[in-house]
Structures are given as structure tokens and as C-alpha cells.
């Protein structure tokens, strides 16, 4: 079928048919345009309000974890979460190797914990020091989070300087309280009352 279509196209060209239309000028410009610089893009991303989470996984030498603000629900059937992890991080390597990880939604009073897991100079041992941690399905889970889920790694794909990690929710706990938020490069909190929920 494809060979037959190609032959017809060639005959039309020989018969003097007009060549296929080229991309409109504005589309060509978009392909050639390098786009805004990283600083302007980061300025845009800073305006995105997001909940603050900590992603943990089991490493070869113990638990690993990092603060992540790009986490979202992906599907209810099946239950899937999507997290964006920085390329080159030890936590990402553990997620890929162990095929499981945990996502913790932090409470508004857990700013210090978020900062500790985000610091590039803090070791894994220092990040987990003083935290109440237990194992759920072989994954380190931090106590005291607003909510947490343990996920089985479904897919990992690289886009730019981050990897998209899709996880199937295998265990979940939802508590009560207010979430810790991240907006304009600083922490924030909700001002409206939030009903408690347990599950």
C-alpha cells in the first residue's frame, strides 16, 4: 500500500502537479527559535503553586530521599502518581533499581524537614536523622506526614534535566491538617480552614 501511494505521488510530480505546501513561516520560526532563557523559564515555574512532598526510596546503603514539588495525580483507575525527579539524584537511581518509592505530602509545620531533604549538602543519613521512619512494602516511610503513598515504579522517562516517574499506588494513608505549599521560591500555607480526614 505504501509503495503504491509513493508511486502515485511521484507520477503527480512528473505531471506538473504543485509540490507539497511548505510549513507556514511562523511554524518554521518556532522550530528555529531557541526559546526564552532558563532564567525566564524558572521565573514562570516559580509562579506555579504546589504542595511540598518528600520522595523516599531504599538505597543500597540505607534510605534515600529528596524534596519534590512536582508531584501530581495521574489516574484513579489504575491509581497512578507522577513525580518529577532531578537527573543524577541518588533517590532517582534507587527508584529505578528497587522499582518502588514513597511520596509524602508534608504538613505546614514541616518546613524544616522539607529544607533538610532539599539541601544539596546534607547527606542521606543527616536527612533521616531524628525522623520516625518505618518500612512499608520495603520502602522507608516518614511518620507525621499529611498523607503518604507507597508506589511501585511503572515507568521512568527522561525529559530535559528531570525524569518523569510514574508509580502505581500500592499503599496509602491520609491524615488531617494543612499542607505545606511552595510558591514564588518560598513556603506558604493555606488560610482557609481545612477539614480533617483520616484513612
Amino acid at each position: 500500500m505504501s509503495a503504491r501511494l509513493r508511486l502515485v505521488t511521484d507520477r503527480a510530480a512528473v505531471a506538473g502537479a504543485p509540490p507539497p505546501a511548505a510549513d507556514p513561516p511562523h511554524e518554521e520560526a518556532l522550530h528555529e527559535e531557541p526559546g526564552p532563557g532558563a532564567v525566564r523559564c524558572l521565573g514562570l515555574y516559580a509562579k506555579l503553586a504546589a504542595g511540598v512532598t518528600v520522595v523516599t526510596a531504599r538505597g543500597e546503603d540505607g534510605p534515600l530521599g529528596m524534596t519534590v514539588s512536582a508531584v501530581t495525580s495521574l489516574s484513579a483507575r489504575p491509581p497512578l502518581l507522577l513525580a518529577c525527579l532531578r537527573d543524577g539524584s541518588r533517590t532517582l537511581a534507587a527508584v529505578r533499581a528497587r522499582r518502588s518509592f514513597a511520596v509524602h505530602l508534608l504538613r505546614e509545620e514541616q518546613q524544616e524537614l522539607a529544607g533538610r531533604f532539599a539541601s544539596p549538602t546534607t547527606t542521606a543519613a543527616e536527612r533521616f536523622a531524628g525522623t520516625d521512619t518505618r518500612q512499608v512494602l520495603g520502602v522507608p516511610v516518614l511518620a507525621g506526614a499529611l498523607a503518604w503513598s507507597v508506589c511501585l515504579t511503572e515507568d521512568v522517562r527522561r525529559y530535559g534535566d528531570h525524569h518523569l516517574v510514574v508509580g502505581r499506588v500500592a499503599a496509602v494513608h491520609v491524615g488531617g491538617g494543612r499542607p505545606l505549599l511552595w510558591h514564588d521560591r518560598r513556603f506558604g500555607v493555606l488560610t482557609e480552614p481545612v477539614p480533617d480526614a483520616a484513612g
Side-chain angles (χ1 to χ4, degrees):
M1 178 74 76
S2 60
R4 194 176 289 175
L5 288 174
R6 189 177 301 113
L7 180 59
V8 171
T9 302
D10 292 343
R11 285 178 178 172
V14 172
D23 290 338
H26 67 279
E27 289 187 12
E28 291 180 356
L30 285 176
H31 288 297
E32 296 174 1
E33 173 63 41
V39 173
R40 294 189 66 189
C41 286
L42 290 174
L44 168 67
Y45 302 159
K47 298 303 178 182
L48 295 170
V52 181
T53 68
V54 166
V55 173
T56 59
R58 169 60 58 182
E60 292 184 2
D61 302 321
L64 297 169
M66 62 188 296
T67 300
V68 177
S69 61
V71 172
T72 187
S73 58
L74 182 60
S75 169
R77 290 187 174 182
L80 301 174
L81 285 179
L82 174 65
C84 299
L85 304 187
R86 186 181 66 255
D87 182 46
S89 72
R90 294 180 63 196
T91 303
L92 172 62
V95 168
R96 301 186 83 151
R98 300 286 180 153
R99 308 301 297 175
S100 59
F101 60 97
V103 175
H104 307 78
L105 282 63
L106 300 190
R107 299 177 186 271
E108 62 180 1
E109 60 268 25
Q110 293 180 305
Q111 292 187 22
E112 187 276 333
L113 183 68
R116 195 192 327 159
F117 274 82
S119 172
T121 60
T122 304
T123 66
E126 291 170 338
R127 291 181 178 186
F128 284 90
T131 62
D132 185 5
T133 307
R134 63 190 177 103
Q135 300 294 311
V136 178
L137 301 179
V139 180
V141 171
L142 305 174
L146 175 63
W148 57 259
S149 65
V150 173
C151 301
L152 305 180
T153 306
E154 289 270 318
D155 193 19
V156 180
R157 295 176 186 265
R158 180 175 179 173
Y159 289 92
D161 57 7
H162 278 66
H163 284 69
L164 300 185
V165 178
V166 177
R168 181 186 291 258
V169 177
V172 66
H173 170 79
V174 178
R178 295 172 178 268
L180 179 62
L181 304 178
W182 181 254
H183 177 255
D184 216 5
R185 300 184 178 92
R186 56 189 159 190
F187 294 116
V189 297
L190 295 175
T191 58
E192 295 295 325
V194 176
D196 285 346

